[in-house]
Amino acid sequence: MTDFHLPIIDLSKSKTHRDELSRQLVNALETVGFLYIDNVEGADFEKMFQCSKWFFDQPNEIKRKVMRNYWNPENTNLYRGYFPVVEDYPNHNECFEFGRDISDDDKDNNPENWFYERTPWPKEDTKFAFKDVFQNQYEVAHTAAMEILRLVARGVGLGEETFVEMFTDKPCSTFRMTHYPPWNDTPSPNAIITDDGKCVTLSQHTDTNFLTLVCTFAYQGLEILGADGSWNPVAPRKNSFVMNIGDLFAKMTKGRFKATIHRVLDIGVDRYSSGFFLEPSYESDVGINLLSKSEDSKHIPEKYGPYMINATKYVKQHYLEYEGLPDFENVREKYYGKDKDELLN
């Protein structure tokens, strides 16, 4: 649709136009569910792009050293690190993911909890400080996300710290670099083809996490599903993040905020993106209504970690990157399986 435009939030005005930005954010999350975030302090899109391309240009034997155990049994990393293009899979991309490391002295962490697994970083040369750049950009994106959440809380008449408390101690957030190689006119038999003959390199989905900040590096290809059922291209915007929320934020606002379906199309050339996926701490209670000022006396805490495991392994069941991850808390049975009714009574 030629008249489709996303709202634009200039985050540099958060101190001078706080109420205005709060209203704009709330309106966007209640309607289209996607928006641009401009002027994020410290964001370095050029360095992120250079480092992403540097990594994905590495020979396969280098990438295999940080590949997840599911694809390279010689490695011990289950959750963080690299996963490759799988040629017979509908989604056609490769990714490198990392999180914020927690302290080795953290006595509360279960060693089996792969959410807090340390990232295996690739060996660097003198050209790019790959690890330093992306660890810095993680913190930049986290800081921006916290300010956005403060503005949203303000916009719905709540204290500005209402939404940020889940992310102050050991967030499970993931930073993901993605490369979408083109199909080159030979898509897999399992590839998804649109009605007008285009190939999909990332199938339609809603994000599972809380909030997402993506840099498209000015590439075309990202599309979102409109309320009228039409697919709308997200126009490239230089030095801007594309923001959307995931199922978790929608769930915790009882559907007031919208997790919007989106997809990525094959654009015929190598496509790169970097995304920050905001996630609360593993132990955070995500079974509450963030917009309610009263507490339900029958409320039973629902931890984020089991919620996420259930959503990715047993509900959506189309995330290749979650294949092979152990269900170390027996989520399917303990939290969401046959004993659920007993838990709620």
Side-chain angles (χ1 to χ4, degrees):
M1 294 175 61
T2 56
D3 60 347
F4 175 78
H5 300 283
L6 292 183
I8 301 170
I9 301 296
D10 184 348
L11 208 58
S12 68
K13 297 181 179 179
S14 64
K15 292 182 174 60
T16 58
H17 297 72
R18 204 161 185 80
D19 288 335
E20 177 185 343
L21 293 188
S22 296
R23 288 191 297 268
Q24 291 175 347
L25 276 164
V26 169
N27 180 66
L29 297 185
E30 289 178 336
T31 53
V32 66
F34 265 75
L35 56 154
Y36 297 111
I37 304 292
D38 284 2
N39 295 319
V40 170
E41 184 176 358
D44 194 326
F45 299 97
E46 181 59 29
K47 279 187 178 179
M48 282 193 286
F49 176 74
Q50 290 177 351
C51 287
S52 292
K53 195 171 186 309
W54 171 83
F55 175 77
F56 292 118
D57 283 347
Q58 295 297 310
N60 190 54
E61 58 265 26
I62 299 298
K63 290 187 282 190
R64 278 187 59 82
K65 292 181 179 179
V66 294
M67 189 179 285
R68 293 183 186 178
N69 171 268
Y70 184 75
W71 290 281
N72 183 2
E74 296 178 1
N75 295 337
T76 59
N77 50 302
L78 300 174
Y79 185 50
R80 303 301 186 188
Y82 171 72
F83 65 87
V85 174
V86 178
E87 294 299 337
D88 59 351
Y89 189 65
N91 291 342
H92 196 60
N93 54 61
E94 57 180 338
C95 300
F96 179 86
E97 297 184 336
F98 71 95
R100 181 195 285 170
D101 289 339
I102 64 172
S103 171
D104 291 332
D105 299 328
D106 192 323
K107 300 294 192 295
D108 297 327
N109 184 46
N110 179 352
E112 296 181 350
N113 186 345
W114 39 260
F115 279 87
Y116 294 122
E117 175 183 82
R118 286 190 171 271
T119 302
W121 292 93
K123 183 179 180 180
E124 299 178 15
D125 56 26
T126 58
K127 191 173 182 180
F128 292 114
F130 182 83
K131 178 179 178 181
D132 287 348
V133 166
F134 276 114
Q135 285 186 324
N136 172 266
Q137 292 302 297
Y138 175 108
E139 299 304 332
V140 167
H142 176 85
T143 299
M146 295 303 97
E147 181 66 353
I148 290 166
L149 292 185
R150 292 185 181 99
L151 290 167
V152 174
R154 184 185 185 94
V156 295
L158 298 174
E160 290 195 4
E161 301 301 312
T162 301
F163 299 157
V164 306
E165 294 174 354
M166 297 186 294
F167 309 98
T168 56
D169 181 35
K170 295 189 295 188
C172 295
S173 303
T174 291
F175 202 114
R176 175 186 296 170
M177 291 141 270
T178 305
H179 169 222
Y180 300 88
W183 284 108
N184 291 327
D185 299 323
T186 56
S188 162
N190 295 324
I192 299 169
I193 310 297
T194 66
D195 293 339
D196 56 356
K198 297 175 182 177
C199 289
V200 176
T201 53
L202 182 61
S203 58
Q204 67 179 59
H205 65 285
T206 53
D207 290 351
T208 307
N209 59 300
F210 199 84
L211 180 153
T212 304
L213 292 170
V214 169
C215 176
T216 65
F217 299 126
Y219 284 103
Q220 306 271 358
L222 177 61
E223 294 189 336
I224 69 174
L225 187 64
D228 61 355
S230 64
W231 284 101
N232 303 284
V234 175
R237 185 173 177 82
K238 189 176 182 180
N239 295 332
S240 180
F241 285 101
V242 177
M243 174 190 151
N244 65 284
I245 68 165
D247 299 332
L248 182 59
F249 203 177
K251 157 189 160 66
M252 296 185 74
T253 57
K254 301 300 181 183
R256 178 172 175 177
F257 297 153
K258 311 299 182 187
T260 302
I261 295 173
H262 51 288
R263 68 185 184 187
V264 177
L265 299 182
D266 185 351
I267 60 174
V269 298
D270 292 283
R271 183 183 186 275
Y272 300 86
S273 69
S274 288
F276 175 76
F277 298 86
L278 180 69
E279 304 173 64
S281 67
Y282 186 90
E283 300 289 337
S284 290
D285 184 1
V286 298
I288 61 176
N289 181 351
L290 289 172
L291 303 180
S292 175
K293 296 183 178 180
S294 60
E295 186 171 336
D296 186 350
S297 60
K298 297 181 180 179
H299 170 66
I300 297 177
E302 180 180 16
K303 291 196 298 186
Y304 171 68
Y307 163 84
M308 186 67 165
I309 294 171
N310 179 66
T312 54
K313 289 176 67 71
Y314 306 123
V315 177
K316 293 191 172 183
Q317 297 183 16
H318 63 256
Y319 290 116
L320 182 65
E321 56 265 40
Y322 290 94
E323 290 291 331
L325 290 173
D327 182 351
F328 62 90
E329 284 216 42
N330 195 17
V331 167
R332 191 169 199 175
E333 295 295 325
K334 185 177 179 182
Y335 291 90
Y336 300 97
K338 62 183 181 181
D339 296 327
K340 184 175 180 181
D341 290 339
E342 296 177 14
L343 270 176
L344 297 177
N345 291 331

Short mmCIF file of all heavy atoms in Angstrom, two decimals, residues 288-314:
data_model
loop_
_atom_site.label_atom_id
_atom_site.label_comp_id
_atom_site.label_asym_id
_atom_site.label_seq_id
_atom_site.Cartn_x
_atom_site.Cartn_y
_atom_site.Cartn_z
N ILE A 288 1.03 -11.45 35.45
CA ILE A 288 0.30 -10.32 36.00
C ILE A 288 -0.18 -9.39 34.88
O ILE A 288 0.32 -9.43 33.77
CB ILE A 288 1.17 -9.52 36.99
CG1 ILE A 288 2.40 -8.95 36.27
CG2 ILE A 288 1.59 -10.39 38.16
CD1 ILE A 288 3.26 -8.06 37.15
N ASN A 289 -1.16 -8.58 35.21
CA ASN A 289 -1.63 -7.53 34.30
C ASN A 289 -0.89 -6.25 34.67
O ASN A 289 -1.13 -5.66 35.72
CB ASN A 289 -3.15 -7.34 34.45
CG ASN A 289 -3.71 -6.29 33.52
OD1 ASN A 289 -2.96 -5.56 32.85
ND2 ASN A 289 -5.03 -6.19 33.47
N LEU A 290 -0.01 -5.80 33.80
CA LEU A 290 0.79 -4.61 34.09
C LEU A 290 -0.04 -3.34 34.19
O LEU A 290 0.40 -2.36 34.80
CB LEU A 290 1.85 -4.43 33.00
CG LEU A 290 3.01 -5.43 32.98
CD1 LEU A 290 3.86 -5.24 31.74
CD2 LEU A 290 3.86 -5.30 34.24
N LEU A 291 -1.21 -3.34 33.60
CA LEU A 291 -2.03 -2.13 33.59
C LEU A 291 -2.97 -2.05 34.78
O LEU A 291 -3.61 -1.02 34.99
CB LEU A 291 -2.86 -2.06 32.29
CG LEU A 291 -2.05 -2.10 31.00
CD1 LEU A 291 -2.99 -2.04 29.80
CD2 LEU A 291 -1.06 -0.94 30.96
N SER A 292 -3.09 -3.13 35.54
CA SER A 292 -4.01 -3.16 36.68
C SER A 292 -3.31 -2.67 37.93
O SER A 292 -2.18 -3.03 38.22
CB SER A 292 -4.53 -4.57 36.90
OG SER A 292 -5.33 -4.64 38.06
N LYS A 293 -4.00 -1.85 38.69
CA LYS A 293 -3.44 -1.33 39.95
C LYS A 293 -3.83 -2.20 41.14
O LYS A 293 -3.38 -1.96 42.25
CB LYS A 293 -3.91 0.11 40.17
CG LYS A 293 -3.39 1.08 39.10
CD LYS A 293 -3.82 2.50 39.39
CE LYS A 293 -3.26 3.46 38.35
NZ LYS A 293 -3.66 4.87 38.58
N SER A 294 -4.69 -3.20 40.90
CA SER A 294 -5.09 -4.08 41.99
C SER A 294 -4.53 -5.47 41.74
O SER A 294 -4.37 -5.90 40.60
CB SER A 294 -6.62 -4.16 42.09
OG SER A 294 -7.17 -4.67 40.88
N GLU A 295 -4.23 -6.19 42.79
CA GLU A 295 -3.64 -7.52 42.68
C GLU A 295 -4.70 -8.57 42.90
O GLU A 295 -5.44 -8.53 43.89
CB GLU A 295 -2.51 -7.69 43.69
CG GLU A 295 -1.76 -9.00 43.52
CD GLU A 295 -0.52 -9.05 44.40
OE1 GLU A 295 0.00 -7.98 44.74
OE2 GLU A 295 -0.08 -10.16 44.72
N ASP A 296 -4.81 -9.52 41.99
CA ASP A 296 -5.77 -10.60 42.08
C ASP A 296 -5.35 -11.55 43.20
O ASP A 296 -4.24 -12.09 43.19
CB ASP A 296 -5.84 -11.34 40.75
CG ASP A 296 -6.93 -12.41 40.74
OD1 ASP A 296 -7.50 -12.70 41.80
OD2 ASP A 296 -7.20 -12.95 39.65
N SER A 297 -6.25 -11.78 44.17
CA SER A 297 -5.91 -12.63 45.31
C SER A 297 -5.68 -14.08 44.88
O SER A 297 -5.02 -14.85 45.58
CB SER A 297 -7.03 -12.58 46.35
OG SER A 297 -8.25 -13.03 45.78
N LYS A 298 -6.21 -14.47 43.71
CA LYS A 298 -6.05 -15.84 43.22
C LYS A 298 -4.84 -15.98 42.29
O LYS A 298 -4.62 -17.05 41.73
CB LYS A 298 -7.32 -16.28 42.49
CG LYS A 298 -8.56 -16.33 43.37
CD LYS A 298 -9.76 -16.81 42.56
CE LYS A 298 -11.01 -16.87 43.44
NZ LYS A 298 -12.20 -17.33 42.66
N HIS A 299 -4.09 -14.92 42.15
CA HIS A 299 -2.97 -14.96 41.22
C HIS A 299 -1.91 -15.96 41.64
O HIS A 299 -1.49 -16.01 42.79
CB HIS A 299 -2.33 -13.56 41.12
CG HIS A 299 -1.04 -13.55 40.37
ND1 HIS A 299 -0.95 -13.83 39.03
CD2 HIS A 299 0.24 -13.33 40.78
CE1 HIS A 299 0.31 -13.76 38.64
NE2 HIS A 299 1.05 -13.47 39.68
N ILE A 300 -1.49 -16.77 40.66
CA ILE A 300 -0.39 -17.71 40.86
C ILE A 300 0.78 -17.25 40.00
O ILE A 300 0.62 -17.06 38.79
CB ILE A 300 -0.80 -19.13 40.46
CG1 ILE A 300 -1.93 -19.63 41.37
CG2 ILE A 300 0.39 -20.08 40.51
CD1 ILE A 300 -2.45 -20.99 41.01
N PRO A 301 1.95 -17.00 40.59
CA PRO A 301 3.09 -16.51 39.80
C PRO A 301 3.41 -17.43 38.62
O PRO A 301 3.34 -18.65 38.72
CB PRO A 301 4.23 -16.49 40.82
CG PRO A 301 3.54 -16.35 42.15
CD PRO A 301 2.27 -17.13 42.02
N GLU A 302 3.76 -16.82 37.52
CA GLU A 302 4.14 -17.55 36.30
C GLU A 302 5.52 -17.04 35.87
O GLU A 302 5.66 -15.91 35.43
CB GLU A 302 3.11 -17.31 35.20
CG GLU A 302 3.43 -18.04 33.91
CD GLU A 302 2.39 -17.77 32.83
OE1 GLU A 302 1.60 -16.81 32.96
OE2 GLU A 302 2.37 -18.53 31.84
N LYS A 303 6.54 -17.87 36.02
CA LYS A 303 7.89 -17.44 35.72
C LYS A 303 8.10 -17.26 34.22
O LYS A 303 7.59 -18.04 33.40
CB LYS A 303 8.91 -18.44 36.27
CG LYS A 303 9.00 -18.50 37.78
CD LYS A 303 10.26 -19.19 38.25
CE LYS A 303 10.34 -20.63 37.81
NZ LYS A 303 11.52 -21.31 38.40
N TYR A 304 8.92 -16.26 33.87
CA TYR A 304 9.18 -15.99 32.46
C TYR A 304 9.84 -17.17 31.76
O TYR A 304 9.46 -17.54 30.64
CB TYR A 304 10.07 -14.76 32.28
CG TYR A 304 10.52 -14.61 30.84
CD1 TYR A 304 9.61 -14.29 29.85
CD2 TYR A 304 11.85 -14.85 30.48
CE1 TYR A 304 10.01 -14.19 28.52
CE2 TYR A 304 12.26 -14.75 29.16
CZ TYR A 304 11.33 -14.42 28.18
OH TYR A 304 11.72 -14.34 26.87
N GLY A 305 10.85 -17.77 32.38
CA GLY A 305 11.59 -18.84 31.72
C GLY A 305 10.70 -19.97 31.25
O GLY A 305 10.70 -20.31 30.06
N PRO A 306 9.91 -20.58 32.13
CA PRO A 306 9.00 -21.63 31.68
C PRO A 306 7.97 -21.14 30.66
O PRO A 306 7.62 -21.88 29.73
CB PRO A 306 8.32 -22.07 32.98
CG PRO A 306 9.34 -21.78 34.03
CD PRO A 306 9.99 -20.50 33.60
N TYR A 307 7.51 -19.90 30.82
CA TYR A 307 6.59 -19.35 29.81
C TYR A 307 7.25 -19.34 28.44
O TYR A 307 6.64 -19.74 27.43
CB TYR A 307 6.19 -17.93 30.21
CG TYR A 307 5.59 -17.14 29.06
CD1 TYR A 307 4.23 -17.25 28.76
CD2 TYR A 307 6.38 -16.31 28.25
CE1 TYR A 307 3.68 -16.56 27.68
CE2 TYR A 307 5.83 -15.62 27.19
CZ TYR A 307 4.48 -15.74 26.91
OH TYR A 307 3.96 -15.06 25.83
N MET A 308 8.50 -18.91 28.36
CA MET A 308 9.21 -18.80 27.09
C MET A 308 9.49 -20.19 26.51
O MET A 308 9.33 -20.42 25.31
CB MET A 308 10.51 -18.03 27.28
CG MET A 308 11.25 -17.74 26.00
SD MET A 308 10.37 -16.60 24.93
CE MET A 308 11.68 -16.13 23.79
N ILE A 309 9.90 -21.13 27.36
CA ILE A 309 10.15 -22.48 26.89
C ILE A 309 8.87 -23.08 26.30
O ILE A 309 8.87 -23.67 25.22
CB ILE A 309 10.69 -23.37 28.03
CG1 ILE A 309 12.07 -22.89 28.48
CG2 ILE A 309 10.76 -24.83 27.59
CD1 ILE A 309 12.58 -23.57 29.74
N ASN A 310 7.78 -22.90 27.00
CA ASN A 310 6.51 -23.43 26.52
C ASN A 310 6.12 -22.81 25.19
O ASN A 310 5.72 -23.50 24.25
CB ASN A 310 5.42 -23.16 27.55
CG ASN A 310 4.06 -23.67 27.11
OD1 ASN A 310 3.86 -24.87 26.96
ND2 ASN A 310 3.14 -22.77 26.88
N ALA A 311 6.25 -21.48 25.09
CA ALA A 311 5.83 -20.78 23.88
C ALA A 311 6.65 -21.21 22.67
O ALA A 311 6.10 -21.40 21.57
CB ALA A 311 5.95 -19.28 24.08
N THR A 312 7.95 -21.38 22.85
CA THR A 312 8.81 -21.65 21.70
C THR A 312 8.90 -23.13 21.36
O THR A 312 9.07 -23.48 20.19
CB THR A 312 10.23 -21.10 21.96
OG1 THR A 312 10.72 -21.63 23.19
CG2 THR A 312 10.22 -19.58 22.03
N LYS A 313 8.79 -24.00 22.36
CA LYS A 313 8.96 -25.43 22.11
C LYS A 313 7.64 -26.17 21.90
O LYS A 313 7.59 -27.16 21.15
CB LYS A 313 9.73 -26.08 23.26
CG LYS A 313 11.20 -25.71 23.33
CD LYS A 313 11.87 -26.31 24.55
CE LYS A 313 11.96 -27.81 24.51
NZ LYS A 313 12.93 -28.31 23.52
N TYR A 314 6.55 -25.70 22.56
CA TYR A 314 5.33 -26.50 22.57
C TYR A 314 4.10 -25.79 22.01
O TYR A 314 3.09 -26.43 21.76
CB TYR A 314 5.02 -26.96 24.00
CG TYR A 314 6.20 -27.68 24.63
CD1 TYR A 314 6.74 -27.22 25.82
CD2 TYR A 314 6.75 -28.79 24.02
CE1 TYR A 314 7.83 -27.87 26.39
CE2 TYR A 314 7.84 -29.44 24.58
CZ TYR A 314 8.37 -28.98 25.77
OH TYR A 314 9.45 -29.62 26.32
#
